[in-house]
């Protein structure tokens, strides 16, 4: 369709172009849930945040430390673990949608399933080794370490996800920060769990079983899957 405007001929498109989808408001709303969870954890237990931050530097008697300050089955602890899931999922969605440009359904699905899958793998691995070896009580501290690290890094992921949402022009920077946090969490968990297992008197050959079957094998499987499905 052609129209005259200010003495010039201009055309009006028959259809308006689809505006580029922006998930900023939606992600900000989801992130508000993260803030609410942290606030609720703080309200339920005023020592919740300091306990999680201090636990990062502790290894010996960490189970007694949490019993005295914030039990893992308490609401404050659950709120902080849920915060980890929320922030981890938001960061993954930003990775899949902005950097990898995946289809929306895939981005949402992977962002939800990956944190749940990793959480189950990390916690179930400790429980499974305890069941196989009969050393469940001695491995209890390893389970607490794993959960407390999720709570600890969840606090930092909330900040990273907020900055990432508000600064889409710095995708690469926040992607690197996100990746470094994940690597640091993994290395810290492996190191602290190794020390905790040895301190509690679990035989070293059980430690080899733990690493070979429940740390190295899942990582290799994930690498093989990504290499086969996403390699160009």
């Amino acid at each position: 369709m052609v129209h005259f405007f200010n003495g010039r001929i201009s055309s009006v498109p028959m259809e308006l172009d689809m505006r580029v989808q922006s998930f900023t408001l939606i992600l900000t709303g989801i992130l508000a849930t993260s803030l609410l969870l942290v606030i609720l954890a703080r309200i339920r237990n005023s020592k919740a945040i300091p306990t999680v931050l201090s636990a990062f530097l502790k290894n010996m008697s960490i189970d007694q430390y949490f019993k005295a300050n914030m039990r893992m089955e308490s609401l404050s602890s659950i709120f902080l673990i849920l915060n980890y899931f929320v922030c981890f999922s938001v960061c993954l969605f930003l990775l899949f949608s902005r950097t990898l440009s995946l289809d929306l359904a895939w981005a949402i699905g992977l962002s939800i399933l990956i944190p749940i899958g990793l959480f189950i793998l990390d916690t179930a691995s400790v429980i499974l080794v305890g069941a196989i070896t009969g050393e469940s009580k001695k491995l209890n501290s390893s389970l607490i370490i794993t959960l407390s690290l999720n709570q600890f890094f969840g606090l930092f992921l909330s900040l990273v996800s907020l900055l990432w949402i508000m600064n889409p022009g710095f995708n690469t920077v926040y992607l690197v920060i996100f990746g470094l946090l994940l690597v640091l969490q993994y290395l810290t968990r492996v190191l602290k769990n190794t020390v905790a297992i040895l301190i509690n008197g679990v035989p070293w050959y059980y430690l080899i079983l733990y690493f070979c079957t429940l740390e190295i094998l899942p990582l290799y499987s994930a690498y093989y899957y990504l290499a086969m499905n996403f390699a160009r």
Side-chain angles (χ1 to χ4, degrees):
M1 186 180 297
V2 179
H3 285 273
F4 289 93
F5 184 72
N6 290 337
R8 292 177 298 178
I9 298 178
S10 62
S11 61
V12 177
M14 298 300 295
E15 295 182 356
L16 295 177
D17 293 333
M18 183 72 70
R19 186 164 60 94
V20 177
Q21 285 187 320
S22 174
F23 300 98
T24 301
L25 289 179
I26 298 176
L27 293 176
T28 303
I30 295 174
L31 207 57
T33 305
S34 165
L35 177 61
L36 178 61
L37 289 170
V38 175
I39 292 174
L40 289 175
R42 178 68 174 76
I43 292 175
R44 294 289 303 183
N45 186 345
S46 60
K47 297 186 291 184
I49 307 302
T51 297
V52 170
L53 296 177
S54 300
F56 182 76
L57 301 176
K58 292 182 177 293
N59 208 70
M60 297 182 62
S61 303
I62 192 170
D63 48 347
Q64 298 299 323
Y65 177 73
F66 271 93
K67 283 182 180 179
N69 294 279
M70 182 184 68
R71 292 180 175 272
M72 274 298 167
E73 64 272 18
S74 67
L75 279 177
S76 293
S77 177
I78 294 173
F79 286 148
L80 292 178
I81 291 176
L82 290 176
N83 171 67
Y84 170 77
F85 280 114
V86 171
C87 298
F88 193 5
S89 294
V90 169
C91 287
L92 285 175
F93 179 81
L94 292 171
L95 164 64
F96 294 135
S97 62
R98 289 185 179 178
T99 305
L100 300 180
S101 300
L102 290 185
D103 181 73
L104 179 60
W106 274 100
I108 294 176
L110 291 175
S111 300
I112 295 174
L113 293 177
I114 289 178
I116 295 176
L118 289 177
F119 180 81
I120 293 175
L121 181 63
D122 292 343
T123 54
S125 62
V126 179
I127 297 173
L128 181 60
V129 170
I132 294 175
T133 61
E135 303 284 359
S136 297
K137 291 185 177 179
K138 293 182 179 180
L139 290 173
N140 184 55
S141 59
S142 296
L143 184 60
I144 293 176
I145 288 173
T146 299
L147 295 175
S148 65
L149 286 175
N150 287 339
Q151 296 169 337
F152 177 84
F153 281 96
L155 297 175
F156 288 93
L157 287 178
S158 63
L159 177 61
V160 172
S161 56
L162 175 61
L163 295 175
W164 198 347
I165 291 172
M166 298 304 176
N167 298 278
F170 294 91
N171 282 333
T172 304
V173 175
Y174 293 113
L175 175 60
V176 171
I177 295 175
F178 176 53
L180 290 176
L181 283 176
L182 293 184
V183 171
L184 180 60
Q185 181 184 1
Y186 175 78
L187 294 178
T188 304
R189 178 172 60 83
V190 171
L191 178 61
K192 290 173 71 71
N193 280 342
T194 300
V195 173
I197 288 173
L198 295 177
I199 288 177
N200 290 329
V202 177
W204 61 268
Y205 45 85
Y206 290 158
L207 188 62
I208 296 177
L209 170 67
Y210 170 78
F211 276 114
C212 291
T213 59
L214 302 171
E215 291 290 352
I216 298 176
L217 184 59
L219 282 179
Y220 176 77
S221 301
Y223 170 79
Y224 181 79
Y225 175 81
L226 292 174
M228 293 297 294
N229 291 276
F230 295 99
R232 298 291 180 181

